[in-house]
Each structure stands twice: as C-alpha cells, then as structure tokens.
Amino acid sequence: EVAGAGSSPTTFIYALTKDFSGTDEFSISVSEGDRESFIQFEIIVLPEEDSPVWQTGTVIPPRFIELPPGAFFNYEITAADPDGDPLKYEITNQGSIKDAWLQVAQDQEKTFLRGIVPSAISTKSSFPYLLKISDPSQRSIFAEFEIVVTPLNSPPEILFDLE
C-alpha cells in the first residue's frame, strides 16, 4: 500500500504486508488540470530471518523448579524455527557447581533437558541455568530458570537401650 496525505503530498508511505519478500511494483501519478505524470517504482524486498519461537501450548520452564537430591529431571523443549532452519540448543550453568549434571539430549525428533540431581547435596542449593535456542542466523530465544535442590529432611530417631 502506498499513501500520501493532503492535496499536494511530499511524503509517501509504503507499507508491506507481514513477512512479505520478493518484488513489488507500483506507480504514482501526479496531475494538474489536463497534464499528468507517472513515476514507476520497483522494490525488491529480501527475506528476513525470523527468530526461533516457543511452540504453541509450550510451557516455558518455570522460573524455579524444586527437586530432591538424586531426582531425575526431564523437560521436553518445544521450540521451532518459522523458517524451518535447524535449531541449536545450549544450556549454561550460571552457578558454582563444577560438573554440569544437566544436559541437552536428543531423542528421535524431540529435544530434552535431562539430568540426575547430584545426591551428595546436604544443604539447600540453587543452580541457575540459561537455556539458549538459536537458528543458523544467530537469532535466539532464552529461558532462565533455577533448579533448587532441597535435601529430604528425615525426622530424628531416638534409640533406647533396653538391656
């Protein structure tokens, strides 16, 4: 669509439809009484890569996930690239744990975050993570979440010696 305002516009606005790419042609005419002039335009619009998106109905990882030591964590990542490009998944541990127990795993055509919470945790610990999903053009989406490990609290036992 091309539009100008007023009886003698000096500025015209050219608006494309969403996600348009290709060639577009239009002309603008200017008239004064019995005289008329035309100017032709040809515009080539190059395709623009789109960022990956969370698929409809996806539950983005909650900000805080609480798990006991030794628990198995399994979360399906459901993202897609509108351009159909393959996606790259990266998980970054933002905390101080030395070994990354949470990994990105592929299982057939699905992608998961998987891992077993370390069982040697004796105090409440927090592991912040950043999930980055990128397409080949380096456009990305992110999800920040934190896995909070709370050790199970067993009640104390009182033992009596009855001898």
Side-chain angles (χ1 to χ4, degrees), residues 28-103:
I28 296 176
S29 68
V30 178
S31 62
E32 181 180 20
D34 61 350
R35 296 181 299 182
E36 189 170 28
S37 294
F38 290 91
I39 185 167
Q40 298 266 133
F41 293 91
E42 178 180 280
I43 296 178
I44 299 171
V45 180
L46 301 176
E48 176 74 20
E49 291 285 329
D50 294 312
S51 296
V53 294
W54 296 105
Q55 290 181 329
T56 304
T58 296
V59 176
I60 298 171
R63 182 69 182 101
F64 296 98
I65 302 164
E66 193 160 339
L67 297 170
F72 178 68
F73 179 75
N74 189 51
Y75 173 80
E76 183 179 355
I77 305 168
T78 52
D81 185 72
D83 305 310
D85 293 327
L87 295 176
K88 178 181 176 184
Y89 302 86
E90 297 174 73
I91 184 81
T92 306
N93 183 329
Q94 311 271 304
S96 60
I97 191 168
K98 292 181 182 170
D99 55 342
W101 56 270
L102 189 60
Q103 302 289 324

Side-chain angles (χ1 to χ4, degrees), residues 6-21:
S7 60
S8 300
T10 57
T11 303
F12 292 89
I13 298 171
Y14 175 71
L16 296 168
T17 57
K18 182 175 173 26
D19 292 327
F20 174 82
S21 65

Side-chain angles (χ1 to χ4, degrees), residues 101-123:
W101 56 270
L102 189 60
Q103 302 289 324
V104 175
Q106 299 275 171
D107 184 1
Q108 297 172 2
E109 292 186 19
K110 296 181 178 183
T111 304
F112 297 88
L113 290 177
R114 285 189 176 147
I116 297 176
V117 179
S119 57
I121 297 174
S122 59
T123 60

